[in-house]
């Protein structure tokens, strides 16, 4: 493989070192882009969760950023999918608001399961695409609950 890359990028000289360097740079660029996306996703989950009163947070908001760790993030997604909605549900239940349902727990678990299933060879693209859609729905649900949380706080301050 390196010889083919060396011939293609190294001017046909057969220099495997050039091909190795090109391959290494491509891997590093992919890793940086992947980590950047993971940081963005973590921030999109962290931001609404951090607005929840500390008494109702089942985990520290900063722990959401453990999703950035490659492969471990797949496992950590299950903790996020369970604990973030449970925290929001506990808060809304405490004020007597039962209109949020499961607070996105079902969507979050489906996202985490699809993310793991996306590594299955041949069919992984389908659960990968489903995982992306479910992640977007989960984030939208969390931001919606955070917005309602802000509206409730504004009403309590006005009274």
């Amino acid at each position: 493989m390196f010889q083919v890359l060396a011939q293609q990028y190294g001017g046909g000289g057969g220099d495997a070192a050039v091909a190795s360097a090109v391959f290494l740079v491509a891997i590093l660029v992919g890793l940086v882009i992947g980590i950047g996306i993971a940081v963005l996703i973590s921030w999109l989950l962290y931001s609404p969760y951090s607005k929840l009163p500390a008494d109702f947070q089942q985990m520290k908001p900063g722990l959401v950023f453990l999703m950035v760790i490659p492969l471990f993030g797949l496992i950590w997604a299950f903790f996020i999918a369970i604990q973030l909605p449970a925290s929001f549900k506990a808060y809304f239940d405490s004020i007597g608001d039962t209109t949020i349902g499961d607070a996105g727990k079902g969507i979050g678990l489906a996202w985490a399961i699809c993310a793991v299933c996306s590594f299955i060879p041949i069919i992984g693209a389908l659960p990968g695409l489903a995982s992306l859609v479910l992640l977007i729905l989960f984030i939208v649900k969390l931001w919606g609950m955070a917005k309602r949380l802000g509206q409730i706080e504004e009403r309590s301050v006005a009274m």
Side-chain angles (χ1 to χ4, degrees):
M1 178 170 120
F2 290 128
Q3 288 178 346
V4 171
L5 289 172
Q7 289 175 352
Q8 187 176 8
Y9 295 106
D15 188 13
V18 172
S20 296
V22 168
F23 187 68
L24 183 61
V25 168
I27 294 289
L28 290 175
V29 167
L31 188 62
V32 167
I33 290 171
I35 290 174
I37 291 169
V39 167
L40 175 64
I41 290 169
S42 296
W43 180 83
L44 288 171
L45 294 169
Y46 165 84
S47 187
Y49 184 61
S50 65
K51 295 176 183 173
L52 194 64
D55 296 344
F56 296 97
Q57 294 174 349
Q58 293 189 5
M59 66 185 223
K60 299 283 183 199
L63 293 177
V64 170
F65 286 94
L66 290 176
M67 281 194 46
V68 174
I69 301 170
L71 296 180
F72 178 75
L74 290 172
I75 297 164
W76 196 246
F78 286 94
F79 289 93
I80 289 171
I82 293 169
Q83 292 181 350
L84 270 62
S87 299
F88 276 102
K89 182 159 178 45
Y91 173 78
F92 284 106
D93 285 349
S94 74
I95 61 170
D97 185 352
T98 59
T99 60
I100 62 164
D102 70 350
K105 182 179 178 182
I107 295 170
L109 283 174
W111 155 60
I113 291 167
C114 286
V116 170
C117 291
S118 70
F119 284 90
I120 297 173
I122 301 172
I123 64 163
L126 293 175
L129 183 59
S131 172
L132 176 62
V133 171
L134 290 165
L135 174 61
I136 291 168
L137 292 173
F138 185 61
I139 290 171
V140 168
K141 179 75 173 178
L142 291 177
W143 279 81
M145 289 185 295
K147 183 178 178 183
R148 287 179 61 185
L149 180 71
Q151 293 169 348
I152 291 168
E153 289 176 1
E154 287 175 6
R155 278 188 238 144
S156 65
V157 170
M159 290 182 175

